[in-house]
Amino acid sequence: MNSKNKVSIILILIATVLIIGIGGYLIGKKQGQAESEATTQSTTEKITEAASEEKIEEATESEATEEKTTEAKSEEKKEEKDGDDNGDGAIYVKVTSNSPWEKDGGYGFQCDVMIKNDSSEEYDDWEIQITGFKDAEIENLWNAEYEIVDDVLKLKPVDFNKHIGAKSENKDIGMIVNVKSKDATKNIAKGGTLIVDGKVVAEADAAEKIREEKKKEREAKREPRPVEEGTPLDNHGALSVKGTDIVDKNGEKYQLRGVSTHGIAWFPDYVNKDAFQTLRDDWGANMIRLAMYTDEGGGYCTDGDKDKLKGLVSDGVDYATELGMYVIIDWHVLHDLDPNKNIDEAKLFFEEMSSKYADQDNVIYEICNEPNGSTTWDDIKKYAEVILPIIRNNDKDAIIIVGTPTWSQDVDTVIPDPITGQENIMYAVHFYAATHKENIRNKAKDALDAGIPVFISEFSICDASGNGGIDYDSADEWMEFINDNNLSYSSWSLCNKNETSALIAPECSKTSGWTDDELSETGQWLKDTISSK
């Protein structure tokens, strides 16, 4: 084979190898692309499938959540409805009357009527039927129209108070009633049948039933206060003021929880040892406040019997001391507006009292109950700076309570100019829960924050007149504030006067040893409150 042919054969072999290689490469590449595409497609399908499944799961969860939410809302509505059925839907009438007065050979009295709607329902018309009016005559009536049929007084609304809103009160209905005998005043029911939109919604005893329900609720929440061995005075001794707190002989915070008499000139029989012992042993009270009016009829500075009134104060202090209780001697300014009006009498009175009780650890002095009218803090402070040195000259360390403007509601006016150079001074705050609410609490809180010691020396749970309906919700808010701030308190009033704030039922003539049934609605609430934490 010549050299030319050898070269040709070599070239052919090289070309063949190249062709086979390139073809294999191309085939492999194609297969790789196919496999890659298949893998990509598979991955995409898996991702899509996973995403789809995730969306299904999300959708399922969303549906489940929505179902639960719907179910919860449904259950919530059911609970709200059940709540209405269990008392939230209560609507009732409360009828109260004051003590009768002699008039034209018979008796007259004022009767107040309130519609209380605790439900979320609204009503557009009402009628109240009250029994006990067979021999009664309506002298004056406000905010209603009336007719008497046999024994029943029927009250109907005037245009402006026809509507009863949800969670509301229609409480400005009242009348002056004349009857022939004093016993007839007791025939007025304490509740009334209420007809709204033509349908009876509350029978005459509904208010009593509501009261019992609320009492059961309070009892269920109660945690009884531990009973102390020994008397309060034995255990805690002389009290003093530290910061805004009352502290005992051991320097521990202490809270006085007590009851105020009504005017001792008018209800002297309640100043007795058995009454105070009932309050101590059955209620858990550790303090009595002796309210001696200064300027009213029968008051100390007007036509009252000074010796008799001082004798009642002395008896009250003696009974409290024998029982190991604390006692407030209250110079009960009210009608006199400005304590400076009778300052000369006050000087003599507190000179005598502080000299007499200088060595006792349980006596507290309240030097002006409720300054009011246009009386300012400057006026009160001027008076206090005369009376305080007289007491301190005899009794160096007793707690002394100073009243504040506007019936002892404006304690915040003390903040910029408190009494200085004196220890164990406190400032009065008074409230009536149905009238005085967060606005007065804010004033007390501002005073406390400023280091002004506050003492709740008088309060009740009705309106500021001492009568009208009870506001349990506001009362509970006040007690929470009182306990949170370790404030001492005294409730008005120990008597059976026919008004809401009286602690004894008007038909009860006992002056001690009262059963729960012999207490007023306010009295039962206070007993529960004092005796529990």
Side-chain angles (χ1 to χ4, degrees), residues 195-296:
I195 301 168
V196 293
D197 298 340
K199 180 181 177 182
V200 174
V201 296
E203 298 294 341
D205 61 350
E208 180 69 15
K209 289 178 180 177
I210 296 300
R211 184 182 66 78
E212 288 300 322
E213 288 175 5
K214 289 184 179 295
K215 182 180 178 182
K216 287 178 182 178
E217 290 175 6
R218 293 197 302 275
E219 287 177 345
K221 297 176 182 177
R222 277 184 61 190
E223 183 180 350
R225 190 182 299 278
V227 178
E228 287 187 286
E229 292 184 8
T231 70
L233 185 56
D234 288 338
N235 294 335
H236 300 282
L239 306 178
S240 58
V241 180
K242 183 178 180 180
T244 59
D245 291 303
I246 289 178
V247 297
D248 66 7
K249 64 181 180 180
N250 303 311
E252 300 292 330
K253 289 183 182 181
Y254 191 59
Q255 184 185 50
L256 292 170
R257 308 174 305 277
V259 171
S260 176
T261 68
H262 202 295
I264 57 175
W266 308 316
F267 294 94
D269 293 344
Y270 291 92
V271 182
N272 71 81
K273 185 176 177 180
D274 289 340
F276 295 0
Q277 185 162 2
T278 300
L279 296 172
R280 186 195 70 177
D281 295 348
D282 295 353
W283 297 37
N286 56 15
M287 177 189 68
I288 296 293
R289 178 183 187 241
L290 303 170
M292 189 187 73
Y293 279 78
T294 53
D295 203 59
E296 278 67 19

Side-chain angles (χ1 to χ4, degrees), residues 13-203:
L13 289 171
I14 292 170
T16 301
V17 171
L18 289 172
I19 290 169
I20 292 170
I22 292 169
Y25 168 77
L26 292 174
I27 291 170
K29 184 179 180 181
K30 187 173 183 180
Q31 287 176 344
Q33 285 177 337
E35 287 175 2
S36 177
E37 288 173 4
T39 300
T40 302
Q41 182 179 0
S42 175
T43 302
T44 302
E45 286 174 357
K46 287 180 180 178
I47 291 172
T48 302
E49 183 180 356
S52 178
E53 287 176 356
E54 187 175 64
K55 285 181 180 178
I56 291 170
E57 287 175 2
E58 286 177 356
T60 303
E61 288 175 2
S62 178
E63 288 173 3
T65 302
E66 188 171 337
E67 284 177 3
K68 287 179 182 177
T69 302
T70 303
E71 183 180 354
K73 286 181 178 177
S74 176
E75 191 65 28
E76 187 174 281
K77 287 181 180 178
K78 181 178 181 297
E79 287 174 1
E80 287 177 357
K81 185 177 185 302
D82 291 344
D84 282 347
D85 293 340
N86 288 331
D88 179 62
I91 180 170
Y92 60 93
V93 172
K94 182 173 177 62
V95 181
T96 57
S97 54
N98 64 3
S99 298
W101 59 85
E102 293 185 12
K103 182 179 180 182
D104 300 329
Y107 293 87
F109 63 95
Q110 181 173 320
C111 187
D112 295 298
V113 182
M114 177 183 71
I115 301 173
K116 175 78 169 174
N117 181 18
D118 286 334
S119 78
S120 54
E121 297 292 326
E122 296 189 6
Y123 303 96
D124 293 320
D125 197 9
W126 55 265
E127 179 180 313
I128 299 168
Q129 297 182 358
I130 308 172
T131 59
F133 282 81
K134 184 176 181 180
D135 297 319
E137 176 188 56
I138 307 300
E139 178 181 326
N140 189 18
L141 179 77
W142 50 93
N143 298 330
E145 297 178 350
Y146 82 97
E147 65 175 330
I148 297 176
V149 179
D150 296 327
D151 189 45
V152 179
L153 171 71
K154 296 183 177 182
L155 297 175
K156 295 186 177 182
V158 289
D159 288 341
F160 74 89
N161 65 358
K162 206 170 185 181
H163 180 75
I164 304 173
K167 305 287 184 183
S168 68
E169 295 178 357
N170 284 14
K171 63 179 182 179
D172 296 324
I173 306 161
M175 67 198 92
I176 302 297
V177 184
N178 296 326
V179 291
K180 296 177 181 178
S181 70
K182 194 171 184 179
D183 288 340
T185 65
K186 299 178 181 179
N187 295 331
I188 304 302
K190 292 299 178 184
T193 298
L194 178 63
I195 301 168
V196 293
D197 298 340
K199 180 181 177 182
V200 174
V201 296
E203 298 294 341

Side-chain angles (χ1 to χ4, degrees), residues 301-497:
C301 302
T302 52
D303 56 351
D305 185 330
K306 286 185 172 64
D307 290 337
K308 183 179 179 180
L309 290 170
K310 284 190 290 189
L312 284 167
V313 170
S314 295
D315 288 345
V317 172
D318 289 346
Y319 300 142
T321 304
E322 289 169 23
L323 293 166
M325 302 176 75
Y326 296 90
V327 58
I328 298 175
I329 297 175
D330 167 34
W331 184 257
H332 203 85
V333 169
L334 188 64
H335 185 261
D336 22 357
L337 309 182
D338 186 337
N340 290 290
K341 176 181 177 181
N342 292 309
I343 192 169
D344 290 338
E345 293 280 14
K347 288 157 65 175
L348 295 173
F349 178 81
F350 283 111
E351 166 63 33
E352 182 176 347
M353 291 296 130
S354 61
S355 177
K356 187 173 185 177
Y357 300 114
D359 296 329
Q360 292 193 199
D361 291 336
N362 64 326
V363 177
I364 297 168
Y365 303 95
E366 185 169 4
I367 63 173
C368 51
N369 165 65
E370 289 185 352
N372 60 88
S374 59
T375 306
T376 66
W377 170 241
D378 286 341
D379 298 326
I380 299 166
K381 186 179 179 185
K382 176 183 174 183
Y383 164 84
E385 288 177 336
V386 171
I387 301 300
L388 294 178
I390 292 172
I391 296 174
R392 285 288 178 250
N393 187 52
N394 298 311
D395 196 330
K396 305 299 182 185
D397 51 14
I399 291 176
I400 301 173
I401 304 169
V402 182
T404 56
T406 319
W407 296 277
S408 286
Q409 293 165 35
D410 293 343
V411 69
D412 57 320
T413 61
V414 176
I415 296 172
D417 188 25
I419 294 167
T420 58
Q422 295 278 357
E423 294 183 351
N424 295 334
I425 303 298
M426 304 189 80
Y427 300 87
V429 169
H430 293 179
F431 72 86
Y432 283 74
T435 301
H436 309 127
K437 302 190 179 185
E438 189 174 13
N439 61 323
I440 305 300
R441 283 196 298 277
N442 287 341
K443 293 182 180 201
K445 185 63 167 62
D446 289 344
L448 291 168
D449 289 345
I452 304 296
V454 169
F455 197 118
I456 310 289
S457 56
E458 182 182 316
F459 81 97
S460 191
I461 59 177
C462 56
D463 67 39
S465 70
N467 212 348
I470 290 172
D471 191 329
Y472 286 108
D473 292 337
S474 179
D476 289 344
E477 289 172 356
W478 268 106
M479 288 313 303
E480 183 178 359
F481 176 79
I482 284 170
N483 291 325
D484 285 349
N485 291 282
N486 188 43
L487 303 182
S488 294
Y489 60 87
S490 176
S491 177
W492 187 263
S493 67
L494 181 61
C495 70
N496 68 341
K497 186 178 180 181

